[in-house]
Amino acid sequence: MAGPRIPHPTLKGPNVVKEIAIGVVLGLAAGSVWKMHQLSEQRRVRAFYDMLNKGEITVVAQEE
């Protein structure tokens, strides 16, 4: 009296190549976002020091 056979799904292991590709893509995306942020900050700092050297701005508060 054997019951009906139920097909069980076969479990597959992780696809290593796919996981490496996903990791590389996510790493490159995060790296490019960080690099754009870093370059933007560098531009702001350079503009600040250029204006400071030209005398357009000062870091000393004026006394009134």
Side-chain angles (χ1 to χ4, degrees):
M1 293 250 197
R5 296 191 58 115
I6 300 172
H8 295 288
T10 57
L11 298 176
K12 290 185 176 180
N15 189 350
V16 178
V17 176
K18 182 179 175 183
E19 292 207 12
I20 289 174
I22 289 172
V24 166
V25 168
L26 289 176
L28 288 174
S32 63
V33 167
W34 176 255
K35 190 64 176 177
M36 288 184 340
H37 169 72
Q38 187 233 358
L39 289 175
S40 174
E41 286 293 317
Q42 187 179 23
R43 241 181 268 122
R44 278 184 12 162
V45 169
R46 188 175 296 134
F48 171 77
Y49 281 109
D50 286 342
M51 289 191 303
L52 191 63
N53 287 337
K54 290 178 186 174
E56 297 175 4
I57 61 171
T58 181
V59 292
V60 179
Q62 291 181 354
E63 295 183 25
E64 293 182 27

